Amino acid sequence: MSAGNFLFLQEIAMRDTLSYRSTVSACYTANFIGALVINLTPVLFIPLKTLYGLSYTQFGILLAANYVTQVAADILFSWPVDRYGCRPFAILAPVLTIAGYLVFALSPVLWENPFPGFLAGTILFSATGGLLELMLNIIINGIPGEQKAGMLSVLHSFYAWGQLTVVLLSTLALWYFGISNWQWIVAAWAVLPCINIWQFITCRMPPRIPEEQRQGASFLLKQKYFYFLIILIAFGGMSEVAMPMWSSAFLERAIKLPKIVGDTLGVCMGALMLGTGRLLYGLFGEKRDVLPFMILGAAGAVVLYLIAGFSGSHIAALAGCALCCLATSLLWPGSVVLANKTFPLAGAWLYAMLAAGGDIGAAAGPYMLGVIADNAPVWPVLSELFNKTSLTLEEFGLRCALGMGAVFPLITLGLLLWFWKKQRAGGEKTCKKRKGVVS
């Protein structure tokens, strides 16, 4: 397709923006499912630990496998998505979710040691997350109009609404039906991907960027800000994901709150804060630079990780877990917004690399906290401190893990301040150059 034909299709599409309502709805539902495949396992961890004896390290492996698989899907599918379009892969994503949930739920029935089955199921449904991260940003960015940043922020808010719904309903179901019925809860969640399959079969897809105009890998690899954006979203992913991944186990085992209280007041409130931050920017922040909000959020997250991990107050720990999610709410979508502004004609490869960077961070962060939780009490530098407390090995390990999570937003803050400084310096140079031309 020539550049002229592409611009003509864009002009026609802008006159008929209502026709994309079903497309936007499908994307929002898909991102809701993306939250489902990431957040259901953490809710199930304590029941699985109780029933099958899983360790915290095995839990960390499942979380890491989730995000490593997403990285692989991001990279492997980037060229086919550019070549064949998003629709076939948008339909494939919910199919993989259903298959993965079936394997996960049937693992204790099929194998004496269910962990390999849990891992296989995780790999299957985690591919969904990678596909969705790759495609949804492309689809939303391709819809004609000037509200890209706002639409992207609202899109990412549906991840939070999905997280809130999954955690709340799954926790209530475990409490009401008992942990021995967890397979039926997994099976019930497989209904939503069936709906999403039909949505993507019937919705309209926006026109693709012509190959001759697309900013592909060869162009992006020469740009220094491309590498900065990958690093930024990686640490943003660590900052955002580590807290909700561990807060359920932390509040139940370290703070000694009942599971239903910790999940509903801690984890669910965190998801509400995450979604609220993104929705507010989507509705009211379209014309405001996202960078100052990201800087403020990263700084706040450093303090809130420390409060959640080391505070002796139940209320302070709950508030730290919840408000940390508000503070980190724009770090991941804000990185995508910055990438869209920097490389407006990029194809699937940019979004694949962004998603891969975010997923690497989201995999590494929770895994590192899992290792700290298991080993902190026996590390020489911390063992003396442990001996001076009245905490159990598990409580001390979990507190150290969550408190040390403050390192992730601290590094993110440093990156953002560097970018802000470079941005201001570039703006001052432009102003001086313009004044020189005028004079």
Side-chain angles (χ1 to χ4, degrees), residues 153-188:
S153 189
V154 174
L155 171 71
H156 284 272
S157 78
F158 269 80
Y159 173 90
W161 307 135
Q163 181 185 14
L164 173 63
T165 306
V166 169
V167 172
L168 181 59
L169 293 185
S170 299
T171 300
L172 291 174
L174 287 168
W175 170 74
Y176 185 79
F177 296 107
I179 63 173
S180 60
N181 291 307
W182 67 269
Q183 287 106 326
W184 295 107
I185 298 171
V186 174

PDB file of all heavy atoms in Angstrom, residues 153-188:
ATOM      1  N   SER A 153      -3.872   5.271  27.919  1.00  0.00           N
ATOM      2  CA  SER A 153      -3.954   5.255  29.377  1.00  0.00           C
ATOM      3  C   SER A 153      -5.213   4.533  29.845  1.00  0.00           C
ATOM      4  O   SER A 153      -5.180   3.742  30.793  1.00  0.00           O
ATOM      5  CB  SER A 153      -3.924   6.686  29.925  1.00  0.00           C
ATOM      6  OG  SER A 153      -3.800   6.686  31.326  1.00  0.00           O
ATOM      7  N   VAL A 154      -6.341   4.802  29.172  1.00  0.00           N
ATOM      8  CA  VAL A 154      -7.580   4.099  29.526  1.00  0.00           C
ATOM      9  C   VAL A 154      -7.451   2.610  29.229  1.00  0.00           C
ATOM     10  O   VAL A 154      -7.916   1.759  30.007  1.00  0.00           O
ATOM     11  CB  VAL A 154      -8.780   4.705  28.763  1.00  0.00           C
ATOM     12  CG1 VAL A 154     -10.043   3.886  29.011  1.00  0.00           C
ATOM     13  CG2 VAL A 154      -9.004   6.149  29.189  1.00  0.00           C
ATOM     14  N   LEU A 155      -6.815   2.273  28.097  1.00  0.00           N
ATOM     15  CA  LEU A 155      -6.570   0.864  27.771  1.00  0.00           C
ATOM     16  C   LEU A 155      -5.834   0.170  28.911  1.00  0.00           C
ATOM     17  O   LEU A 155      -6.231  -0.903  29.359  1.00  0.00           O
ATOM     18  CB  LEU A 155      -5.756   0.762  26.480  1.00  0.00           C
ATOM     19  CG  LEU A 155      -5.228  -0.645  26.132  1.00  0.00           C
ATOM     20  CD1 LEU A 155      -6.371  -1.556  25.708  1.00  0.00           C
ATOM     21  CD2 LEU A 155      -4.162  -0.566  25.038  1.00  0.00           C
ATOM     22  N   HIS A 156      -4.773   0.792  29.389  1.00  0.00           N
ATOM     23  CA  HIS A 156      -3.991   0.193  30.464  1.00  0.00           C
ATOM     24  C   HIS A 156      -4.744   0.204  31.785  1.00  0.00           C
ATOM     25  O   HIS A 156      -4.448  -0.606  32.673  1.00  0.00           O
ATOM     26  CB  HIS A 156      -2.645   0.908  30.591  1.00  0.00           C
ATOM     27  CG  HIS A 156      -1.668   0.541  29.523  1.00  0.00           C
ATOM     28  ND1 HIS A 156      -0.807  -0.527  29.634  1.00  0.00           N
ATOM     29  CD2 HIS A 156      -1.427   1.081  28.292  1.00  0.00           C
ATOM     30  CE1 HIS A 156      -0.061  -0.622  28.543  1.00  0.00           C
ATOM     31  NE2 HIS A 156      -0.427   0.343  27.713  1.00  0.00           N
ATOM     32  N   SER A 157      -5.720   1.097  31.932  1.00  0.00           N
ATOM     33  CA  SER A 157      -6.521   1.069  33.160  1.00  0.00           C
ATOM     34  C   SER A 157      -7.360  -0.201  33.231  1.00  0.00           C
ATOM     35  O   SER A 157      -7.671  -0.680  34.329  1.00  0.00           O
ATOM     36  CB  SER A 157      -7.432   2.303  33.242  1.00  0.00           C
ATOM     37  OG  SER A 157      -8.581   2.174  32.414  1.00  0.00           O
ATOM     38  N   PHE A 158      -7.713  -0.772  32.072  1.00  0.00           N
ATOM     39  CA  PHE A 158      -8.498  -2.002  32.080  1.00  0.00           C
ATOM     40  C   PHE A 158      -7.689  -3.193  32.598  1.00  0.00           C
ATOM     41  O   PHE A 158      -8.273  -4.170  33.068  1.00  0.00           O
ATOM     42  CB  PHE A 158      -9.067  -2.295  30.683  1.00  0.00           C
ATOM     43  CG  PHE A 158     -10.422  -1.680  30.496  1.00  0.00           C
ATOM     44  CD1 PHE A 158     -10.548  -0.338  30.183  1.00  0.00           C
ATOM     45  CD2 PHE A 158     -11.567  -2.435  30.675  1.00  0.00           C
ATOM     46  CE1 PHE A 158     -11.798   0.246  30.041  1.00  0.00           C
ATOM     47  CE2 PHE A 158     -12.824  -1.866  30.533  1.00  0.00           C
ATOM     48  CZ  PHE A 158     -12.944  -0.516  30.213  1.00  0.00           C
ATOM     49  N   TYR A 159      -6.374  -3.089  32.535  1.00  0.00           N
ATOM     50  CA  TYR A 159      -5.553  -4.094  33.213  1.00  0.00           C
ATOM     51  C   TYR A 159      -5.834  -4.035  34.715  1.00  0.00           C
ATOM     52  O   TYR A 159      -6.001  -5.065  35.380  1.00  0.00           O
ATOM     53  CB  TYR A 159      -4.074  -3.848  32.940  1.00  0.00           C
ATOM     54  CG  TYR A 159      -3.165  -4.749  33.744  1.00  0.00           C
ATOM     55  CD1 TYR A 159      -2.771  -5.982  33.246  1.00  0.00           C
ATOM     56  CD2 TYR A 159      -2.724  -4.370  35.015  1.00  0.00           C
ATOM     57  CE1 TYR A 159      -1.957  -6.824  33.993  1.00  0.00           C
ATOM     58  CE2 TYR A 159      -1.917  -5.203  35.767  1.00  0.00           C
ATOM     59  CZ  TYR A 159      -1.538  -6.422  35.253  1.00  0.00           C
ATOM     60  OH  TYR A 159      -0.740  -7.243  35.995  1.00  0.00           O
ATOM     61  N   ALA A 160      -5.899  -2.819  35.244  1.00  0.00           N
ATOM     62  CA  ALA A 160      -6.146  -2.667  36.682  1.00  0.00           C
ATOM     63  C   ALA A 160      -7.548  -3.122  37.054  1.00  0.00           C
ATOM     64  O   ALA A 160      -7.751  -3.767  38.090  1.00  0.00           O
ATOM     65  CB  ALA A 160      -5.939  -1.212  37.085  1.00  0.00           C
ATOM     66  N   TRP A 161      -8.545  -2.791  36.222  1.00  0.00           N
ATOM     67  CA  TRP A 161      -9.914  -3.245  36.530  1.00  0.00           C
ATOM     68  C   TRP A 161      -9.981  -4.769  36.468  1.00  0.00           C
ATOM     69  O   TRP A 161     -10.694  -5.395  37.263  1.00  0.00           O
ATOM     70  CB  TRP A 161     -10.924  -2.636  35.553  1.00  0.00           C
ATOM     71  CG  TRP A 161     -10.862  -1.141  35.446  1.00  0.00           C
ATOM     72  CD1 TRP A 161     -10.888  -0.399  34.307  1.00  0.00           C
ATOM     73  CD2 TRP A 161     -10.741  -0.190  36.520  1.00  0.00           C
ATOM     74  NE1 TRP A 161     -10.789   0.932  34.587  1.00  0.00           N
ATOM     75  CE2 TRP A 161     -10.703   1.097  35.935  1.00  0.00           C
ATOM     76  CE3 TRP A 161     -10.637  -0.303  37.908  1.00  0.00           C
ATOM     77  CZ2 TRP A 161     -10.583   2.253  36.697  1.00  0.00           C
ATOM     78  CZ3 TRP A 161     -10.509   0.864  38.670  1.00  0.00           C
ATOM     79  CH2 TRP A 161     -10.493   2.106  38.063  1.00  0.00           C
ATOM     80  N   GLY A 162      -9.231  -5.355  35.545  1.00  0.00           N
ATOM     81  CA  GLY A 162      -9.171  -6.809  35.492  1.00  0.00           C
ATOM     82  C   GLY A 162      -8.509  -7.389  36.728  1.00  0.00           C
ATOM     83  O   GLY A 162      -8.988  -8.368  37.312  1.00  0.00           O
ATOM     84  N   GLN A 163      -7.407  -6.763  37.152  1.00  0.00           N
ATOM     85  CA  GLN A 163      -6.720  -7.215  38.355  1.00  0.00           C
ATOM     86  C   GLN A 163      -7.647  -7.134  39.570  1.00  0.00           C
ATOM     87  O   GLN A 163      -7.729  -8.076  40.373  1.00  0.00           O
ATOM     88  CB  GLN A 163      -5.476  -6.357  38.584  1.00  0.00           C
ATOM     89  CG  GLN A 163      -4.674  -6.756  39.809  1.00  0.00           C
ATOM     90  CD  GLN A 163      -3.528  -5.806  40.065  1.00  0.00           C
ATOM     91  OE1 GLN A 163      -3.462  -4.700  39.505  1.00  0.00           O
ATOM     92  NE2 GLN A 163      -2.603  -6.201  40.919  1.00  0.00           N
ATOM     93  N   LEU A 164      -8.339  -6.016  39.700  1.00  0.00           N
ATOM     94  CA  LEU A 164      -9.265  -5.832  40.822  1.00  0.00           C
ATOM     95  C   LEU A 164     -10.350  -6.896  40.825  1.00  0.00           C
ATOM     96  O   LEU A 164     -10.626  -7.532  41.855  1.00  0.00           O
ATOM     97  CB  LEU A 164      -9.895  -4.435  40.726  1.00  0.00           C
ATOM     98  CG  LEU A 164     -11.012  -4.099  41.714  1.00  0.00           C
ATOM     99  CD1 LEU A 164     -10.488  -4.118  43.135  1.00  0.00           C
ATOM    100  CD2 LEU A 164     -11.622  -2.744  41.389  1.00  0.00           C
ATOM    101  N   THR A 165     -10.961  -7.133  39.676  1.00  0.00           N
ATOM    102  CA  THR A 165     -12.056  -8.090  39.580  1.00  0.00           C
ATOM    103  C   THR A 165     -11.582  -9.512  39.832  1.00  0.00           C
ATOM    104  O   THR A 165     -12.220 -10.280  40.565  1.00  0.00           O
ATOM    105  CB  THR A 165     -12.713  -8.002  38.188  1.00  0.00           C
ATOM    106  OG1 THR A 165     -13.103  -6.651  37.933  1.00  0.00           O
ATOM    107  CG2 THR A 165     -13.935  -8.894  38.103  1.00  0.00           C
ATOM    108  N   VAL A 166     -10.450  -9.865  39.223  1.00  0.00           N
ATOM    109  CA  VAL A 166      -9.921 -11.227  39.370  1.00  0.00           C
ATOM    110  C   VAL A 166      -9.563 -11.518  40.820  1.00  0.00           C
ATOM    111  O   VAL A 166      -9.923 -12.562  41.376  1.00  0.00           O
ATOM    112  CB  VAL A 166      -8.690 -11.424  38.459  1.00  0.00           C
ATOM    113  CG1 VAL A 166      -7.966 -12.719  38.797  1.00  0.00           C
ATOM    114  CG2 VAL A 166      -9.109 -11.424  37.004  1.00  0.00           C
ATOM    115  N   VAL A 167      -8.850 -10.597  41.456  1.00  0.00           N
ATOM    116  CA  VAL A 167      -8.426 -10.809  42.843  1.00  0.00           C
ATOM    117  C   VAL A 167      -9.627 -10.870  43.774  1.00  0.00           C
ATOM    118  O   VAL A 167      -9.734 -11.768  44.620  1.00  0.00           O
ATOM    119  CB  VAL A 167      -7.443  -9.705  43.280  1.00  0.00           C
ATOM    120  CG1 VAL A 167      -7.154  -9.798  44.782  1.00  0.00           C
ATOM    121  CG2 VAL A 167      -6.142  -9.807  42.496  1.00  0.00           C
ATOM    122  N   LEU A 168     -10.557  -9.931  43.606  1.00  0.00           N
ATOM    123  CA  LEU A 168     -11.706  -9.864  44.511  1.00  0.00           C
ATOM    124  C   LEU A 168     -12.610 -11.090  44.363  1.00  0.00           C
ATOM    125  O   LEU A 168     -12.916 -11.776  45.351  1.00  0.00           O
ATOM    126  CB  LEU A 168     -12.503  -8.588  44.243  1.00  0.00           C
ATOM    127  CG  LEU A 168     -13.734  -8.362  45.129  1.00  0.00           C
ATOM    128  CD1 LEU A 168     -13.332  -8.307  46.599  1.00  0.00           C
ATOM    129  CD2 LEU A 168     -14.450  -7.092  44.718  1.00  0.00           C
ATOM    130  N   LEU A 169     -13.020 -11.395  43.139  1.00  0.00           N
ATOM    131  CA  LEU A 169     -13.946 -12.509  42.936  1.00  0.00           C
ATOM    132  C   LEU A 169     -13.281 -13.850  43.239  1.00  0.00           C
ATOM    133  O   LEU A 169     -13.917 -14.745  43.806  1.00  0.00           O
ATOM    134  CB  LEU A 169     -14.485 -12.494  41.503  1.00  0.00           C
ATOM    135  CG  LEU A 169     -15.395 -11.311  41.140  1.00  0.00           C
ATOM    136  CD1 LEU A 169     -15.966 -11.485  39.739  1.00  0.00           C
ATOM    137  CD2 LEU A 169     -16.526 -11.131  42.153  1.00  0.00           C
ATOM    138  N   SER A 170     -12.016 -14.003  42.867  1.00  0.00           N
ATOM    139  CA  SER A 170     -11.331 -15.268  43.135  1.00  0.00           C
ATOM    140  C   SER A 170     -11.136 -15.475  44.634  1.00  0.00           C
ATOM    141  O   SER A 170     -11.302 -16.594  45.150  1.00  0.00           O
ATOM    142  CB  SER A 170      -9.974 -15.301  42.426  1.00  0.00           C
ATOM    143  OG  SER A 170     -10.134 -15.197  41.033  1.00  0.00           O
ATOM    144  N   THR A 171     -10.798 -14.400  45.346  1.00  0.00           N
ATOM    145  CA  THR A 171     -10.620 -14.504  46.798  1.00  0.00           C
ATOM    146  C   THR A 171     -11.935 -14.852  47.487  1.00  0.00           C
ATOM    147  O   THR A 171     -11.976 -15.720  48.374  1.00  0.00           O
ATOM    148  CB  THR A 171     -10.073 -13.181  47.358  1.00  0.00           C
ATOM    149  OG1 THR A 171      -8.818 -12.895  46.738  1.00  0.00           O
ATOM    150  CG2 THR A 171      -9.882 -13.258  48.871  1.00  0.00           C
ATOM    151  N   LEU A 172     -13.014 -14.198  47.082  1.00  0.00           N
ATOM    152  CA  LEU A 172     -14.321 -14.494  47.667  1.00  0.00           C
ATOM    153  C   LEU A 172     -14.748 -15.925  47.350  1.00  0.00           C
ATOM    154  O   LEU A 172     -15.324 -16.619  48.202  1.00  0.00           O
ATOM    155  CB  LEU A 172     -15.366 -13.496  47.156  1.00  0.00           C
ATOM    156  CG  LEU A 172     -15.210 -12.052  47.653  1.00  0.00           C
ATOM    157  CD1 LEU A 172     -16.212 -11.138  46.958  1.00  0.00           C
ATOM    158  CD2 LEU A 172     -15.393 -11.974  49.164  1.00  0.00           C
ATOM    159  N   ALA A 173     -14.456 -16.379  46.122  1.00  0.00           N
ATOM    160  CA  ALA A 173     -14.820 -17.751  45.746  1.00  0.00           C
ATOM    161  C   ALA A 173     -14.025 -18.783  46.548  1.00  0.00           C
ATOM    162  O   ALA A 173     -14.570 -19.798  46.989  1.00  0.00           O
ATOM    163  CB  ALA A 173     -14.587 -17.958  44.244  1.00  0.00           C
ATOM    164  N   LEU A 174     -12.726 -18.519  46.764  1.00  0.00           N
ATOM    165  CA  LEU A 174     -11.914 -19.427  47.576  1.00  0.00           C
ATOM    166  C   LEU A 174     -12.418 -19.483  49.013  1.00  0.00           C
ATOM    167  O   LEU A 174     -12.438 -20.536  49.651  1.00  0.00           O
ATOM    168  CB  LEU A 174     -10.446 -18.987  47.553  1.00  0.00           C
ATOM    169  CG  LEU A 174      -9.671 -19.224  46.253  1.00  0.00           C
ATOM    170  CD1 LEU A 174      -8.342 -18.483  46.284  1.00  0.00           C
ATOM    171  CD2 LEU A 174      -9.445 -20.705  46.008  1.00  0.00           C
ATOM    172  N   TRP A 175     -12.831 -18.323  49.520  1.00  0.00           N
ATOM    173  CA  TRP A 175     -13.337 -18.257  50.890  1.00  0.00           C
ATOM    174  C   TRP A 175     -14.687 -18.980  51.014  1.00  0.00           C
ATOM    175  O   TRP A 175     -14.918 -19.713  51.981  1.00  0.00           O
ATOM    176  CB  TRP A 175     -13.486 -16.790  51.294  1.00  0.00           C
ATOM    177  CG  TRP A 175     -14.213 -16.570  52.586  1.00  0.00           C
ATOM    178  CD1 TRP A 175     -13.740 -16.794  53.846  1.00  0.00           C
ATOM    179  CD2 TRP A 175     -15.553 -16.093  52.733  1.00  0.00           C
ATOM    180  NE1 TRP A 175     -14.709 -16.486  54.783  1.00  0.00           N
ATOM    181  CE2 TRP A 175     -15.833 -16.053  54.123  1.00  0.00           C
ATOM    182  CE3 TRP A 175     -16.543 -15.690  51.840  1.00  0.00           C
ATOM    183  CZ2 TRP A 175     -17.047 -15.626  54.634  1.00  0.00           C
ATOM    184  CZ3 TRP A 175     -17.765 -15.262  52.337  1.00  0.00           C
ATOM    185  CH2 TRP A 175     -18.010 -15.238  53.716  1.00  0.00           C
ATOM    186  N   TYR A 176     -15.542 -18.817  50.023  1.00  0.00           N
ATOM    187  CA  TYR A 176     -16.893 -19.383  50.107  1.00  0.00           C
ATOM    188  C   TYR A 176     -16.916 -20.876  49.773  1.00  0.00           C
ATOM    189  O   TYR A 176     -17.533 -21.678  50.487  1.00  0.00           O
ATOM    190  CB  TYR A 176     -17.828 -18.626  49.165  1.00  0.00           C
ATOM    191  CG  TYR A 176     -19.272 -19.066  49.260  1.00  0.00           C
ATOM    192  CD1 TYR A 176     -20.084 -18.624  50.301  1.00  0.00           C
ATOM    193  CD2 TYR A 176     -19.818 -19.936  48.324  1.00  0.00           C
ATOM    194  CE1 TYR A 176     -21.406 -19.026  50.403  1.00  0.00           C
ATOM    195  CE2 TYR A 176     -21.138 -20.352  48.412  1.00  0.00           C
ATOM    196  CZ  TYR A 176     -21.921 -19.892  49.453  1.00  0.00           C
ATOM    197  OH  TYR A 176     -23.237 -20.308  49.559  1.00  0.00           O
ATOM    198  N   PHE A 177     -16.213 -21.263  48.697  1.00  0.00           N
ATOM    199  CA  PHE A 177     -16.258 -22.657  48.238  1.00  0.00           C
ATOM    200  C   PHE A 177     -15.133 -23.513  48.823  1.00  0.00           C
ATOM    201  O   PHE A 177     -15.198 -24.740  48.742  1.00  0.00           O
ATOM    202  CB  PHE A 177     -16.195 -22.716  46.709  1.00  0.00           C
ATOM    203  CG  PHE A 177     -17.377 -22.092  46.029  1.00  0.00           C
ATOM    204  CD1 PHE A 177     -17.260 -20.875  45.373  1.00  0.00           C
ATOM    205  CD2 PHE A 177     -18.616 -22.718  46.049  1.00  0.00           C
ATOM    206  CE1 PHE A 177     -18.353 -20.295  44.739  1.00  0.00           C
ATOM    207  CE2 PHE A 177     -19.715 -22.150  45.421  1.00  0.00           C
ATOM    208  CZ  PHE A 177     -19.587 -20.927  44.770  1.00  0.00           C
ATOM    209  N   GLY A 178     -14.089 -22.879  49.371  1.00  0.00           N
ATOM    210  CA  GLY A 178     -12.973 -23.624  49.923  1.00  0.00           C
ATOM    211  C   GLY A 178     -11.841 -23.766  48.920  1.00  0.00           C
ATOM    212  O   GLY A 178     -12.074 -23.829  47.707  1.00  0.00           O
ATOM    213  N   ILE A 179     -10.602 -23.845  49.436  1.00  0.00           N
ATOM    214  CA  ILE A 179      -9.438 -23.877  48.546  1.00  0.00           C
ATOM    215  C   ILE A 179      -9.364 -25.155  47.725  1.00  0.00           C
ATOM    216  O   ILE A 179      -8.721 -25.187  46.668  1.00  0.00           O
ATOM    217  CB  ILE A 179      -8.137 -23.667  49.336  1.00  0.00           C
ATOM    218  CG1 ILE A 179      -7.919 -24.815  50.335  1.00  0.00           C
ATOM    219  CG2 ILE A 179      -8.129 -22.328  50.043  1.00  0.00           C
ATOM    220  CD1 ILE A 179      -6.561 -24.755  51.022  1.00  0.00           C
ATOM    221  N   SER A 180     -10.037 -26.219  48.169  1.00  0.00           N
ATOM    222  CA  SER A 180      -9.987 -27.484  47.422  1.00  0.00           C
ATOM    223  C   SER A 180     -10.739 -27.407  46.097  1.00  0.00           C
ATOM    224  O   SER A 180     -10.574 -28.261  45.224  1.00  0.00           O
ATOM    225  CB  SER A 180     -10.551 -28.622  48.271  1.00  0.00           C
ATOM    226  OG  SER A 180     -11.898 -28.372  48.623  1.00  0.00           O
ATOM    227  N   ASN A 181     -11.544 -26.372  45.912  1.00  0.00           N
ATOM    228  CA  ASN A 181     -12.313 -26.200  44.670  1.00  0.00           C
ATOM    229  C   ASN A 181     -11.696 -25.156  43.738  1.00  0.00           C
ATOM    230  O   ASN A 181     -12.399 -24.587  42.893  1.00  0.00           O
ATOM    231  CB  ASN A 181     -13.755 -25.808  44.999  1.00  0.00           C
ATOM    232  CG  ASN A 181     -14.530 -26.943  45.644  1.00  0.00           C
ATOM    233  OD1 ASN A 181     -14.585 -28.044  45.108  1.00  0.00           O
ATOM    234  ND2 ASN A 181     -15.121 -26.691  46.803  1.00  0.00           N
ATOM    235  N   TRP A 182     -10.398 -24.918  43.880  1.00  0.00           N
ATOM    236  CA  TRP A 182      -9.764 -23.860  43.094  1.00  0.00           C
ATOM    237  C   TRP A 182      -9.830 -24.127  41.592  1.00  0.00           C
ATOM    238  O   TRP A 182      -9.866 -23.181  40.794  1.00  0.00           O
ATOM    239  CB  TRP A 182      -8.308 -23.689  43.531  1.00  0.00           C
ATOM    240  CG  TRP A 182      -7.419 -24.853  43.230  1.00  0.00           C
ATOM    241  CD1 TRP A 182      -7.152 -25.917  44.022  1.00  0.00           C
ATOM    242  CD2 TRP A 182      -6.667 -25.062  42.016  1.00  0.00           C
ATOM    243  NE1 TRP A 182      -6.289 -26.788  43.407  1.00  0.00           N
ATOM    244  CE2 TRP A 182      -5.965 -26.291  42.171  1.00  0.00           C
ATOM    245  CE3 TRP A 182      -6.514 -24.347  40.833  1.00  0.00           C
ATOM    246  CZ2 TRP A 182      -5.136 -26.802  41.184  1.00  0.00           C
ATOM    247  CZ3 TRP A 182      -5.687 -24.855  39.845  1.00  0.00           C
ATOM    248  CH2 TRP A 182      -5.007 -26.063  40.021  1.00  0.00           C
ATOM    249  N   GLN A 183      -9.855 -25.411  41.173  1.00  0.00           N
ATOM    250  CA  GLN A 183      -9.908 -25.705  39.723  1.00  0.00           C
ATOM    251  C   GLN A 183     -11.165 -25.152  39.066  1.00  0.00           C
ATOM    252  O   GLN A 183     -11.133 -24.707  37.914  1.00  0.00           O
ATOM    253  CB  GLN A 183      -9.833 -27.220  39.478  1.00  0.00           C
ATOM    254  CG  GLN A 183      -8.461 -27.810  39.715  1.00  0.00           C
ATOM    255  CD  GLN A 183      -8.423 -28.599  41.005  1.00  0.00           C
ATOM    256  OE1 GLN A 183      -9.101 -28.233  41.969  1.00  0.00           O
ATOM    257  NE2 GLN A 183      -7.641 -29.661  41.036  1.00  0.00           N
ATOM    258  N   TRP A 184     -12.283 -25.186  39.788  1.00  0.00           N
ATOM    259  CA  TRP A 184     -13.530 -24.689  39.223  1.00  0.00           C
ATOM    260  C   TRP A 184     -13.480 -23.166  39.041  1.00  0.00           C
ATOM    261  O   TRP A 184     -14.100 -22.629  38.116  1.00  0.00           O
ATOM    262  CB  TRP A 184     -14.708 -25.082  40.110  1.00  0.00           C
ATOM    263  CG  TRP A 184     -14.916 -26.562  40.160  1.00  0.00           C
ATOM    264  CD1 TRP A 184     -14.642 -27.417  41.200  1.00  0.00           C
ATOM    265  CD2 TRP A 184     -15.431 -27.380  39.096  1.00  0.00           C
ATOM    266  NE1 TRP A 184     -14.944 -28.708  40.865  1.00  0.00           N
ATOM    267  CE2 TRP A 184     -15.442 -28.721  39.575  1.00  0.00           C
ATOM    268  CE3 TRP A 184     -15.882 -27.126  37.802  1.00  0.00           C
ATOM    269  CZ2 TRP A 184     -15.876 -29.785  38.797  1.00  0.00           C
ATOM    270  CZ3 TRP A 184     -16.315 -28.185  37.029  1.00  0.00           C
ATOM    271  CH2 TRP A 184     -16.309 -29.492  37.516  1.00  0.00           C
ATOM    272  N   ILE A 185     -12.753 -22.509  39.898  1.00  0.00           N
ATOM    273  CA  ILE A 185     -12.589 -21.054  39.754  1.00  0.00           C
ATOM    274  C   ILE A 185     -11.795 -20.745  38.492  1.00  0.00           C
ATOM    275  O   ILE A 185     -12.141 -19.838  37.720  1.00  0.00           O
ATOM    276  CB  ILE A 185     -11.887 -20.482  41.005  1.00  0.00           C
ATOM    277  CG1 ILE A 185     -12.760 -20.727  42.242  1.00  0.00           C
ATOM    278  CG2 ILE A 185     -11.583 -18.994  40.825  1.00  0.00           C
ATOM    279  CD1 ILE A 185     -12.073 -20.393  43.552  1.00  0.00           C
ATOM    280  N   VAL A 186     -10.724 -21.502  38.249  1.00  0.00           N
ATOM    281  CA  VAL A 186      -9.934 -21.330  37.027  1.00  0.00           C
ATOM    282  C   VAL A 186     -10.792 -21.593  35.789  1.00  0.00           C
ATOM    283  O   VAL A 186     -10.755 -20.835  34.808  1.00  0.00           O
ATOM    284  CB  VAL A 186      -8.705 -22.272  37.044  1.00  0.00           C
ATOM    285  CG1 VAL A 186      -7.966 -22.208  35.708  1.00  0.00           C
ATOM    286  CG2 VAL A 186      -7.771 -21.905  38.184  1.00  0.00           C
ATOM    287  N   ALA A 187     -11.597 -22.655  35.835  1.00  0.00           N
ATOM    288  CA  ALA A 187     -12.462 -22.988  34.693  1.00  0.00           C
ATOM    289  C   ALA A 187     -13.480 -21.885  34.430  1.00  0.00           C
ATOM    290  O   ALA A 187     -13.784 -21.566  33.269  1.00  0.00           O
ATOM    291  CB  ALA A 187     -13.173 -24.317  34.959  1.00  0.00           C
ATOM    292  N   ALA A 188     -14.016 -21.287  35.497  1.00  0.00           N
ATOM    293  CA  ALA A 188     -15.009 -20.218  35.320  1.00  0.00           C
ATOM    294  C   ALA A 188     -14.404 -19.014  34.610  1.00  0.00           C
ATOM    295  O   ALA A 188     -15.062 -18.371  33.775  1.00  0.00           O
ATOM    296  CB  ALA A 188     -15.570 -19.814  36.686  1.00  0.00           C
TER     297      ALA A 188
END
